[in-house]
Amino acid sequence: MTGNRSDGGRATGAGAGAGMALAERAVAWLLPAGDRESVIGDLREEAAARGADGDAAWRLLAGLRIAAHFHVEPYRDAACVRGVLALSVAGLALLWIVPAATGPGLLVPDFYTDPLLRAVAAMWGRSHVTSAAAAGLLVGHLPAIPAHAARSRWHVALLLAALAFSAADGTAAAWTAALVLLGAAWLGDRGRDAARDDSGGAGVCG
Amino acid sequence: MTHGLGELEQLVLLAVLRLEDGAYAVSVRDEIERRIGRSVSRGAVYVTLDRMERKGYLRSELGEPTAERGGKAKRLFALEPPGLTALQESLGDIRRMAEGLSRKLAWSPNR
C-alpha cells in the first residue's frame, strides 16, 4: 500500500512538473524574447514566496495576464496603429482581389495523373489558398510596423487567417488557407529579418 | 520641454531610483504597493519598465541566475540621466500645479 501511495505521489509530482513546464512554455511563447527569462524567473520567485510553488494554474494565469499587457502595449504607439491598419487593409485587399480576379481557382494540368498530386495541386490552385499565401507574405514582409511592436504583425496575421478560414469553401480548404497564410507570414517575417541583417541596420521599422 | 510622464511611469521611475541596485520588476512592484498601499498589476509594471527603457530613461541588464528562481536571471534596471531629468520635470509640474492649494487639497468630506 505504501509503495502504491509512493508511486501515486511520484506520478502526481511528475504530472504537476509536466503541467508546470507546459504552463511556463505557453507563457514564454507569448512573451517578447528579451523578457522571457526574467519574467519566468520572477514568476517562479513569486510563486515560491506565496507558497504557490507547485501551482501551475497560478503561474499560467499570472503569466498570461503579463503577456496580455505586452500584446496590448504596442497599440499605445500611433505609428503601430497606423502600421497595423495599413497591413490589415493591404492583406484584406489581397484576400479579396485574388479570388475576384481568378474565379474559383486554377485548373489542374492534365499531366498530373497521380491522385494525391492532383489533390494537392487542386487545393493549391484554389484562389482562396493562393490569396492567403499572398496576403501572408505581404503581412510578414512589409516593414510597416515599428520594431518594438513586432507582436502586432502576428495579430494582423491571425485576423487575416480567421478571415481566410471563413471565406474558403469546405473545411479542408478553410484550414489550408488559414495555415498557408500563417506559414507565409512566418516566411515573410524571416525574409524581412534576413534582409535587415544583411543591410546591417535595425532600422526604425521591424 | 515636457516629458509627459504618466502616474505609473512616475511611480516606476521613483521606485527604481529608491531601490538602486536591486530594482527588478518584482521589487519595483512590491515597493510601489508598500508605499502607496494599493495593488498594481504585474503586467503594467513590466510594460512600463519596458517603455521607459525604450525611451532611454532606464537601462537594464541580466543579473546572475539564482536557485530560488529556478536558474533564471533577474532583469535589473537603473535610472539613466534622461530618466532623472524627465522625473524632475514631471514632479516639478505637479508641485507647481499644487502650489497655493494646500488648504483645498487638505479638505476632506469626512470633516
mmCIF file of all heavy atoms in Angstrom, chain A residues 108-147:
data_model
loop_
_atom_site.group_PDB
_atom_site.id
_atom_site.type_symbol
_atom_site.label_atom_id
_atom_site.label_comp_id
_atom_site.label_asym_id
_atom_site.label_seq_id
_atom_site.Cartn_x
_atom_site.Cartn_y
_atom_site.Cartn_z
ATOM 1 N N VAL A 108 -6.204 22.252 -62.804
ATOM 2 C CA VAL A 108 -5.081 21.334 -62.573
ATOM 3 C C VAL A 108 -4.668 20.756 -63.924
ATOM 4 O O VAL A 108 -5.513 20.209 -64.647
ATOM 5 C CB VAL A 108 -5.492 20.192 -61.616
ATOM 6 C CG1 VAL A 108 -4.331 19.244 -61.392
ATOM 7 C CG2 VAL A 108 -6.008 20.763 -60.318
ATOM 8 N N PRO A 109 -3.391 20.899 -64.322
ATOM 9 C CA PRO A 109 -2.949 20.385 -65.635
ATOM 10 C C PRO A 109 -3.187 18.880 -65.762
ATOM 11 O O PRO A 109 -3.102 18.144 -64.777
ATOM 12 C CB PRO A 109 -1.449 20.691 -65.634
ATOM 13 C CG PRO A 109 -1.253 21.741 -64.595
ATOM 14 C CD PRO A 109 -2.305 21.540 -63.577
ATOM 15 N N ASP A 110 -3.455 18.456 -66.993
ATOM 16 C CA ASP A 110 -3.776 17.045 -67.241
ATOM 17 C C ASP A 110 -2.612 16.107 -66.947
ATOM 18 O O ASP A 110 -2.821 14.938 -66.634
ATOM 19 C CB ASP A 110 -4.203 16.857 -68.712
ATOM 20 C CG ASP A 110 -5.548 17.506 -68.955
ATOM 21 O OD1 ASP A 110 -6.299 17.664 -67.972
ATOM 22 O OD2 ASP A 110 -5.842 17.859 -70.109
ATOM 23 N N PHE A 111 -1.360 16.626 -67.101
ATOM 24 C CA PHE A 111 -0.225 15.714 -66.934
ATOM 25 C C PHE A 111 0.000 15.323 -65.471
ATOM 26 O O PHE A 111 0.835 14.491 -65.172
ATOM 27 C CB PHE A 111 1.062 16.285 -67.551
ATOM 28 C CG PHE A 111 1.409 17.676 -67.094
ATOM 29 C CD1 PHE A 111 2.039 17.897 -65.885
ATOM 30 C CD2 PHE A 111 1.107 18.770 -67.898
ATOM 31 C CE1 PHE A 111 2.373 19.177 -65.475
ATOM 32 C CE2 PHE A 111 1.443 20.049 -67.494
ATOM 33 C CZ PHE A 111 2.068 20.259 -66.291
ATOM 34 N N TYR A 112 -0.746 15.900 -64.537
ATOM 35 C CA TYR A 112 -0.723 15.411 -63.146
ATOM 36 C C TYR A 112 -1.701 14.246 -63.067
ATOM 37 O O TYR A 112 -2.914 14.442 -63.029
ATOM 38 C CB TYR A 112 -1.167 16.496 -62.168
ATOM 39 C CG TYR A 112 -0.160 17.592 -61.917
ATOM 40 C CD1 TYR A 112 -0.554 18.781 -61.322
ATOM 41 C CD2 TYR A 112 1.181 17.448 -62.255
ATOM 42 C CE1 TYR A 112 0.348 19.799 -61.083
ATOM 43 C CE2 TYR A 112 2.096 18.460 -62.024
ATOM 44 C CZ TYR A 112 1.674 19.634 -61.437
ATOM 45 O OH TYR A 112 2.562 20.628 -61.193
ATOM 46 N N THR A 113 -1.196 13.052 -63.076
ATOM 47 C CA THR A 113 -2.105 11.888 -63.077
ATOM 48 C C THR A 113 -2.237 11.267 -61.694
ATOM 49 O O THR A 113 -3.251 10.646 -61.393
ATOM 50 C CB THR A 113 -1.590 10.806 -64.053
ATOM 51 O OG1 THR A 113 -0.218 10.562 -63.768
ATOM 52 C CG2 THR A 113 -1.749 11.255 -65.497
ATOM 53 N N ASP A 114 -1.205 11.442 -60.874
ATOM 54 C CA ASP A 114 -1.258 10.860 -59.533
ATOM 55 C C ASP A 114 -2.375 11.533 -58.720
ATOM 56 O O ASP A 114 -2.437 12.770 -58.668
ATOM 57 C CB ASP A 114 0.091 11.074 -58.837
ATOM 58 C CG ASP A 114 0.099 10.486 -57.450
ATOM 59 O OD1 ASP A 114 -0.033 9.272 -57.329
ATOM 60 O OD2 ASP A 114 0.205 11.278 -56.482
ATOM 61 N N PRO A 115 -3.277 10.740 -58.105
ATOM 62 C CA PRO A 115 -4.426 11.350 -57.394
ATOM 63 C C PRO A 115 -4.001 12.289 -56.269
ATOM 64 O O PRO A 115 -4.612 13.352 -56.091
ATOM 65 C CB PRO A 115 -5.183 10.142 -56.833
ATOM 66 C CG PRO A 115 -4.631 8.944 -57.513
ATOM 67 C CD PRO A 115 -3.310 9.281 -58.079
ATOM 68 N N LEU A 116 -2.955 11.893 -55.522
ATOM 69 C CA LEU A 116 -2.508 12.741 -54.407
ATOM 70 C C LEU A 116 -1.980 14.073 -54.930
ATOM 71 O O LEU A 116 -2.311 15.150 -54.414
ATOM 72 C CB LEU A 116 -1.436 12.005 -53.594
ATOM 73 C CG LEU A 116 -0.882 12.783 -52.400
ATOM 74 C CD1 LEU A 116 -1.969 13.008 -51.344
ATOM 75 C CD2 LEU A 116 0.299 12.059 -51.765
ATOM 76 N N LEU A 117 -1.159 13.977 -55.987
ATOM 77 C CA LEU A 117 -0.585 15.181 -56.591
ATOM 78 C C LEU A 117 -1.692 16.090 -57.137
ATOM 79 O O LEU A 117 -1.652 17.308 -56.995
ATOM 80 C CB LEU A 117 0.369 14.766 -57.718
ATOM 81 C CG LEU A 117 1.494 15.737 -58.054
ATOM 82 C CD1 LEU A 117 2.339 16.035 -56.832
ATOM 83 C CD2 LEU A 117 2.370 15.154 -59.163
ATOM 84 N N ARG A 118 -2.684 15.464 -57.739
ATOM 85 C CA ARG A 118 -3.811 16.238 -58.295
ATOM 86 C C ARG A 118 -4.587 16.941 -57.168
ATOM 87 O O ARG A 118 -4.998 18.086 -57.304
ATOM 88 C CB ARG A 118 -4.767 15.316 -59.070
ATOM 89 C CG ARG A 118 -4.257 14.931 -60.448
ATOM 90 C CD ARG A 118 -5.347 14.241 -61.257
ATOM 91 N NE ARG A 118 -6.402 15.156 -61.691
ATOM 92 C CZ ARG A 118 -6.300 15.956 -62.749
ATOM 93 N NH1 ARG A 118 -5.209 15.950 -63.481
ATOM 94 N NH2 ARG A 118 -7.295 16.754 -63.072
ATOM 95 N N ALA A 119 -4.729 16.201 -56.037
ATOM 96 C CA ALA A 119 -5.461 16.796 -54.906
ATOM 97 C C ALA A 119 -4.706 18.000 -54.350
ATOM 98 O O ALA A 119 -5.293 19.054 -54.072
ATOM 99 C CB ALA A 119 -5.672 15.746 -53.816
ATOM 100 N N VAL A 120 -3.365 17.823 -54.221
ATOM 101 C CA VAL A 120 -2.544 18.934 -53.689
ATOM 102 C C VAL A 120 -2.583 20.113 -54.662
ATOM 103 O O VAL A 120 -2.751 21.272 -54.259
ATOM 104 C CB VAL A 120 -1.087 18.463 -53.452
ATOM 105 C CG1 VAL A 120 -0.189 19.648 -53.129
ATOM 106 C CG2 VAL A 120 -1.036 17.438 -52.336
ATOM 107 N N ALA A 121 -2.429 19.819 -55.946
ATOM 108 C CA ALA A 121 -2.434 20.892 -56.956
ATOM 109 C C ALA A 121 -3.781 21.603 -56.977
ATOM 110 O O ALA A 121 -3.852 22.830 -57.108
ATOM 111 C CB ALA A 121 -2.107 20.310 -58.326
ATOM 112 N N ALA A 122 -4.857 20.812 -56.823
ATOM 113 C CA ALA A 122 -6.204 21.413 -56.836
ATOM 114 C C ALA A 122 -6.384 22.316 -55.623
ATOM 115 O O ALA A 122 -6.941 23.422 -55.726
ATOM 116 C CB ALA A 122 -7.252 20.313 -56.841
ATOM 117 N N MET A 123 -5.877 21.849 -54.467
ATOM 118 C CA MET A 123 -6.000 22.649 -53.245
ATOM 119 C C MET A 123 -5.191 23.940 -53.368
ATOM 120 O O MET A 123 -5.653 25.021 -53.035
ATOM 121 C CB MET A 123 -5.505 21.815 -52.050
ATOM 122 C CG MET A 123 -5.709 22.461 -50.709
ATOM 123 S SD MET A 123 -7.451 22.735 -50.373
ATOM 124 C CE MET A 123 -7.962 21.075 -49.983
ATOM 125 N N TRP A 124 -3.953 23.780 -53.872
ATOM 126 C CA TRP A 124 -3.096 24.951 -54.020
ATOM 127 C C TRP A 124 -3.680 25.917 -55.046
ATOM 128 O O TRP A 124 -3.567 27.131 -54.924
ATOM 129 C CB TRP A 124 -1.683 24.509 -54.432
ATOM 130 C CG TRP A 124 -0.789 25.680 -54.671
ATOM 131 C CD1 TRP A 124 -0.315 26.139 -55.853
ATOM 132 C CD2 TRP A 124 -0.291 26.586 -53.674
ATOM 133 N NE1 TRP A 124 0.445 27.258 -55.669
ATOM 134 C CE2 TRP A 124 0.473 27.551 -54.335
ATOM 135 C CE3 TRP A 124 -0.439 26.671 -52.290
ATOM 136 C CZ2 TRP A 124 1.101 28.583 -53.669
ATOM 137 C CZ3 TRP A 124 0.193 27.714 -51.622
ATOM 138 C CH2 TRP A 124 0.949 28.642 -52.316
ATOM 139 N N GLY A 125 -4.321 25.348 -56.077
ATOM 140 C CA GLY A 125 -4.867 26.179 -57.145
ATOM 141 C C GLY A 125 -6.109 26.933 -56.735
ATOM 142 O O GLY A 125 -6.556 27.835 -57.438
ATOM 143 N N ARG A 126 -6.678 26.576 -55.603
ATOM 144 C CA ARG A 126 -7.880 27.300 -55.161
ATOM 145 C C ARG A 126 -7.518 28.749 -54.861
ATOM 146 O O ARG A 126 -6.538 29.014 -54.174
ATOM 147 C CB ARG A 126 -8.452 26.652 -53.905
ATOM 148 C CG ARG A 126 -9.097 25.325 -54.195
ATOM 149 C CD ARG A 126 -10.065 24.985 -53.118
ATOM 150 N NE ARG A 126 -10.655 23.684 -53.356
ATOM 151 C CZ ARG A 126 -11.727 23.252 -52.727
ATOM 152 N NH1 ARG A 126 -12.306 24.016 -51.835
ATOM 153 N NH2 ARG A 126 -12.206 22.072 -52.977
ATOM 154 N N SER A 127 -8.344 29.630 -55.344
ATOM 155 C CA SER A 127 -7.982 31.050 -55.260
ATOM 156 C C SER A 127 -7.864 31.530 -53.819
ATOM 157 O O SER A 127 -7.036 32.394 -53.512
ATOM 158 C CB SER A 127 -9.014 31.879 -56.007
ATOM 159 O OG SER A 127 -10.298 31.608 -55.496
ATOM 160 N N HIS A 128 -8.647 30.937 -52.909
ATOM 161 C CA HIS A 128 -8.567 31.389 -51.519
ATOM 162 C C HIS A 128 -7.236 31.009 -50.889
ATOM 163 O O HIS A 128 -6.705 31.726 -50.035
ATOM 164 C CB HIS A 128 -9.719 30.800 -50.700
ATOM 165 C CG HIS A 128 -11.024 31.447 -51.018
ATOM 166 N ND1 HIS A 128 -12.041 30.800 -51.676
ATOM 167 C CD2 HIS A 128 -11.456 32.716 -50.820
ATOM 168 C CE1 HIS A 128 -13.051 31.641 -51.839
ATOM 169 N NE2 HIS A 128 -12.716 32.798 -51.335
ATOM 170 N N VAL A 129 -6.675 29.881 -51.328
ATOM 171 C CA VAL A 129 -5.372 29.470 -50.806
ATOM 172 C C VAL A 129 -4.273 30.347 -51.399
ATOM 173 O O VAL A 129 -3.364 30.799 -50.690
ATOM 174 C CB VAL A 129 -5.118 27.973 -51.108
ATOM 175 C CG1 VAL A 129 -3.750 27.549 -50.614
ATOM 176 C CG2 VAL A 129 -6.199 27.115 -50.459
ATOM 177 N N THR A 130 -4.375 30.619 -52.709
ATOM 178 C CA THR A 130 -3.385 31.484 -53.365
ATOM 179 C C THR A 130 -3.397 32.876 -52.731
ATOM 180 O O THR A 130 -2.352 33.454 -52.437
ATOM 181 C CB THR A 130 -3.710 31.635 -54.872
ATOM 182 O OG1 THR A 130 -4.172 30.385 -55.355
ATOM 183 C CG2 THR A 130 -2.505 32.077 -55.655
ATOM 184 N N SER A 131 -4.600 33.400 -52.506
ATOM 185 C CA SER A 131 -4.691 34.751 -51.924
ATOM 186 C C SER A 131 -4.190 34.747 -50.483
ATOM 187 O O SER A 131 -3.578 35.710 -50.028
ATOM 188 C CB SER A 131 -6.127 35.261 -51.969
ATOM 189 O OG SER A 131 -6.975 34.466 -51.168
ATOM 190 N N ALA A 132 -4.406 33.629 -49.775
ATOM 191 C CA ALA A 132 -3.905 33.535 -48.397
ATOM 192 C C ALA A 132 -2.388 33.570 -48.383
ATOM 193 O O ALA A 132 -1.770 34.230 -47.536
ATOM 194 C CB ALA A 132 -4.417 32.255 -47.742
ATOM 195 N N ALA A 133 -1.762 32.862 -49.336
ATOM 196 C CA ALA A 133 -0.293 32.857 -49.412
ATOM 197 C C ALA A 133 0.217 34.271 -49.687
ATOM 198 O O ALA A 133 1.167 34.739 -49.049
ATOM 199 C CB ALA A 133 0.164 31.901 -50.504
ATOM 200 N N ALA A 134 -0.438 34.946 -50.635
ATOM 201 C CA ALA A 134 -0.004 36.306 -50.990
ATOM 202 C C ALA A 134 -0.173 37.260 -49.800
ATOM 203 O O ALA A 134 0.731 38.041 -49.476
ATOM 204 C CB ALA A 134 -0.809 36.798 -52.184
ATOM 205 N N ALA A 135 -1.326 37.162 -49.140
ATOM 206 C CA ALA A 135 -1.590 38.061 -48.007
ATOM 207 C C ALA A 135 -0.608 37.781 -46.866
ATOM 208 O O ALA A 135 -0.101 38.706 -46.219
ATOM 209 C CB ALA A 135 -3.026 37.885 -47.524
ATOM 210 N N GLY A 136 -0.314 36.499 -46.614
ATOM 211 C CA GLY A 136 0.624 36.141 -45.543
ATOM 212 C C GLY A 136 2.010 36.690 -45.811
ATOM 213 O O GLY A 136 2.645 37.276 -44.929
ATOM 214 N N LEU A 137 2.488 36.510 -47.061
ATOM 215 C CA LEU A 137 3.819 37.031 -47.404
ATOM 216 C C LEU A 137 3.872 38.543 -47.229
ATOM 217 O O LEU A 137 4.841 39.091 -46.710
ATOM 218 C CB LEU A 137 4.165 36.663 -48.847
ATOM 219 C CG LEU A 137 4.617 35.227 -49.076
ATOM 220 C CD1 LEU A 137 4.759 34.942 -50.565
ATOM 221 C CD2 LEU A 137 5.934 34.946 -48.363
ATOM 222 N N LEU A 138 2.801 39.205 -47.659
ATOM 223 C CA LEU A 138 2.748 40.665 -47.544
ATOM 224 C C LEU A 138 2.795 41.107 -46.077
ATOM 225 O O LEU A 138 3.584 41.970 -45.692
ATOM 226 C CB LEU A 138 1.454 41.167 -48.193
ATOM 227 C CG LEU A 138 1.269 42.672 -48.200
ATOM 228 C CD1 LEU A 138 1.808 43.251 -49.500
ATOM 229 C CD2 LEU A 138 -0.196 43.034 -48.038
ATOM 230 N N VAL A 139 1.952 40.483 -45.263
ATOM 231 C CA VAL A 139 1.890 40.871 -43.839
ATOM 232 C C VAL A 139 3.221 40.581 -43.142
ATOM 233 O O VAL A 139 3.691 41.365 -42.323
ATOM 234 C CB VAL A 139 0.737 40.119 -43.129
ATOM 235 C CG1 VAL A 139 0.831 40.258 -41.627
ATOM 236 C CG2 VAL A 139 -0.596 40.647 -43.616
ATOM 237 N N GLY A 140 3.845 39.471 -43.493
ATOM 238 C CA GLY A 140 5.115 39.131 -42.852
ATOM 239 C C GLY A 140 6.251 40.017 -43.304
ATOM 240 O O GLY A 140 7.157 40.314 -42.533
ATOM 241 N N HIS A 141 6.208 40.446 -44.572
ATOM 242 C CA HIS A 141 7.395 41.093 -45.149
ATOM 243 C C HIS A 141 7.378 42.618 -45.114
ATOM 244 O O HIS A 141 8.432 43.243 -45.026
ATOM 245 C CB HIS A 141 7.569 40.622 -46.589
ATOM 246 C CG HIS A 141 8.961 40.841 -47.093
ATOM 247 N ND1 HIS A 141 10.026 40.072 -46.693
ATOM 248 C CD2 HIS A 141 9.476 41.778 -47.936
ATOM 249 C CE1 HIS A 141 11.125 40.511 -47.269
ATOM 250 N NE2 HIS A 141 10.819 41.552 -48.022
ATOM 251 N N LEU A 142 6.205 43.244 -45.211
ATOM 252 C CA LEU A 142 6.169 44.718 -45.275
ATOM 253 C C LEU A 142 6.696 45.345 -43.985
ATOM 254 O O LEU A 142 6.224 45.016 -42.907
ATOM 255 C CB LEU A 142 4.733 45.209 -45.504
ATOM 256 C CG LEU A 142 4.250 45.405 -46.935
ATOM 257 C CD1 LEU A 142 2.886 46.088 -46.914
ATOM 258 C CD2 LEU A 142 5.227 46.220 -47.759
ATOM 259 N N PRO A 143 7.660 46.265 -44.081
ATOM 260 C CA PRO A 143 8.197 46.889 -42.862
ATOM 261 C C PRO A 143 7.337 48.053 -42.398
ATOM 262 O O PRO A 143 7.806 49.173 -42.301
ATOM 263 C CB PRO A 143 9.582 47.343 -43.297
ATOM 264 C CG PRO A 143 9.435 47.618 -44.751
ATOM 265 C CD PRO A 143 8.365 46.724 -45.276
ATOM 266 N N ALA A 144 6.059 47.791 -42.133
ATOM 267 C CA ALA A 144 5.148 48.900 -41.818
ATOM 268 C C ALA A 144 4.995 49.130 -40.320
ATOM 269 O O ALA A 144 4.420 50.122 -39.899
ATOM 270 C CB ALA A 144 3.776 48.610 -42.427
ATOM 271 N N ILE A 145 5.513 48.213 -39.521
ATOM 272 C CA ILE A 145 5.273 48.268 -38.077
ATOM 273 C C ILE A 145 6.600 48.499 -37.350
ATOM 274 O O ILE A 145 7.600 47.874 -37.690
ATOM 275 C CB ILE A 145 4.600 46.944 -37.620
ATOM 276 C CG1 ILE A 145 3.174 46.887 -38.166
ATOM 277 C CG2 ILE A 145 4.597 46.794 -36.116
ATOM 278 C CD1 ILE A 145 2.405 45.657 -37.783
ATOM 279 N N PRO A 146 6.618 49.414 -36.360
ATOM 280 C CA PRO A 146 7.871 49.655 -35.627
ATOM 281 C C PRO A 146 8.408 48.364 -34.997
ATOM 282 O O PRO A 146 7.625 47.486 -34.634
ATOM 283 C CB PRO A 146 7.456 50.649 -34.533
ATOM 284 C CG PRO A 146 6.186 51.249 -35.007
ATOM 285 C CD PRO A 146 5.520 50.236 -35.872
ATOM 286 N N ALA A 147 9.729 48.286 -34.877
ATOM 287 C CA ALA A 147 10.374 47.051 -34.396
ATOM 288 C C ALA A 147 9.847 46.627 -33.023
ATOM 289 O O ALA A 147 9.652 45.438 -32.770
ATOM 290 C CB ALA A 147 11.876 47.257 -34.351
#
